[in-house]
Amino acid sequence: MRYLRRQADLCIGAAAYPEGHISSPRLSTDLAYLKEKVDAGVDFLITQLFFDNRVFYNFLENARRTGIACPVSAGILPVLNAGQIKRIVSLCGASIPAKLWLMVDRYADAPEDLERAGIEYASAQIADLVANGVDGVHLYTLNRVEPAAQILRNVGLA
C-alpha cells in the first residue's frame, strides 16, 4: 500500500474478513493486520462474504474499536446454487446460519426454488444493512446479472 501511495494518486481498496481470514489464528490477530493495511494507505474495505448480519455488525464494532475508520462495504453473496455455496464456504471459512442451511437443504434438488429463496435471503440481508446505515454493499454476483438486478429491485436500489 505504501509503495502504491508513493507511485500515484490512487484509491486503494482492500479485503476484510468479518470472521477472520481462514489462515489467521484468531480474529484479534486478523484485525491487527487489517489495521496495518489501513494505516499503510487503504481508502476503503470490502468484506468477505457473510450470511449473518450480526457477524458484520460485530466485526465493524471491533474494527472501529481497533481504530479502523475508513468506509467498510459489506460483501453479500446470494445463495443461488447448493453445490457452489458449499464449495465457496469450505474455501473461505464463512459460517452459515442454521436457517440458511435449512433453506439450502430444502431446495437442493429444486434449483429454481433455491435461486428464488437465495435472492429473497440476500435481499433481506441487504435491506437490513441499508436500514442500519452500512457504508456500502458489495454484491458478489459470480457473473449472474439477473439475480443481482432482482436483489437491487427488491431492496429499492434499482
Side-chain angles (χ1 to χ4, degrees):
M1 304 316 158
R2 287 185 182 94
Y3 173 80
L4 290 173
R5 281 271 172 239
R6 288 192 304 269
Q7 301 307 309
D9 184 24
L10 302 170
C11 178
I12 302 173
Y17 300 87
E19 297 179 81
H21 189 278
I22 197 165
S23 302
S24 185
R26 57 188 145 285
L27 189 54
S28 61
T29 303
D30 202 60
L31 279 169
Y33 284 125
L34 184 60
K35 174 85 166 86
E36 284 182 28
K37 282 197 277 189
V38 171
D39 290 347
V42 167
D43 294 300
F44 67 94
L45 298 167
I46 298 174
T47 72
Q48 175 64 271
L49 58 97
F50 60 89
F51 299 101
D52 182 343
N53 287 0
R54 292 176 300 176
V55 168
F56 176 78
Y57 297 136
N58 186 52
F59 163 77
L60 191 57
E61 183 179 314
N62 289 331
R64 298 299 187 226
R65 193 177 10 249
T66 304
I68 296 170
C70 68
V72 180
S73 290
I76 302 298
L77 174 68
V79 175
L80 305 175
N81 176 291
Q84 184 180 57
I85 200 63
K86 289 175 183 177
R87 182 176 186 288
I88 290 171
V89 167
S90 74
L91 294 172
C92 73
S95 63
I96 295 187
K99 176 182 173 180
L100 186 55
W101 269 128
L102 290 171
M103 183 188 85
V104 170
D105 287 343
R106 178 177 182 190
Y107 297 119
D109 296 324
E112 290 176 2
D113 293 336
L114 178 59
E115 186 168 304
R116 271 192 294 279
I119 288 169
E120 185 177 311
Y121 189 94
S123 297
Q125 254 193 299
I126 292 170
D128 176 73
L129 291 163
V130 170
N132 282 286
V134 70
D135 294 324
V137 174
H138 177 84
L139 188 57
Y140 292 101
T141 64
L142 302 178
N143 297 320
R144 299 283 313 276
V145 175
E146 187 47 42
Q150 184 60 52
I151 290 166
L152 294 176
R153 286 190 293 272
N154 291 352
V155 181
L157 297 175

